[in-house]
Every structure is written in structure tokens, then in C-alpha cells.
Amino acid sequence: MPAQPGPPEPPAGTIRYWAAAKAAAGTAEEPYAARTLADALVAARRAHEAAPEFARVLARCSFLVNGDPVGTRDHSTVRLTEGGTVEVLPPFAGG
């Protein structure tokens, strides 16, 4: 009997960090492989757990997924796409 295929791989794309998020992450961008924004953020926190400031900054950020603001939507409901982009935007001071 042939082996059953496993679940499909999660979509892959890019997370881009801006300003304080970029400084806390120590990089301007990195890849994601996740089905939802919540999953991508869990993986990012895990990848940067040696930098505690990263989690603090991330908690204050807003997000764009493929150019669309996430706003107050539950991150577990925000689906990611193959080749997509997540922009991580910390609060900006000034005007």
C-alpha cells in the first residue's frame, strides 16, 4: 500500500522588521514558514529568544500582511501566503 502524503508544507515568505523591531531582531528581514500570522510570530519570538527586548518590541508592533493592515484582528485568523510579506511596524514617535 503506498504511503499517505503528509500535510502540505506551510507557506513561505518574508518578515520585514522596521525601526526598533529591526534593532531588536538584529536583522532587517528573515523568512517565515507559517500558515498564520500568529504562527509566524511564535516562530520569530523563538528564533530571537536570546534577545528579550525583541518580545517586548513585538508586543507593541502593528503588522501589515501583503500590504494590508492587520489592525485588531486575531493573529490566528490572519492567513499567510506563499511568497507573502509580513511588515513589523513598531510605534513611531513624532509626527
Side-chain angles (χ1 to χ4, degrees):
M1 180 172 235
Q4 295 294 322
E9 291 294 316
T14 302
I15 299 177
R16 291 189 184 134
Y17 300 107
W18 297 95
K22 178 180 173 182
T27 186
E29 63 181 49
E30 61 191 2
Y32 72 71
R35 297 188 194 296
T36 67
L37 178 57
D39 293 341
L41 296 177
V42 166
R45 283 185 191 94
R46 191 175 304 124
H48 298 284
E49 65 189 355
E53 181 62 18
F54 179 78
R56 286 190 289 274
V57 169
L58 204 60
R60 297 188 315 263
C61 288
S62 58
F63 305 93
L64 299 176
V65 174
N66 299 330
D68 295 325
V70 171
T72 59
R73 287 185 286 163
D74 181 333
H75 295 167
S76 66
T77 67
V78 179
R79 307 292 295 169
L80 300 181
T81 60
E82 184 67 30
T85 303
V86 174
E87 307 281 349
V88 180
L89 306 168
F92 292 93

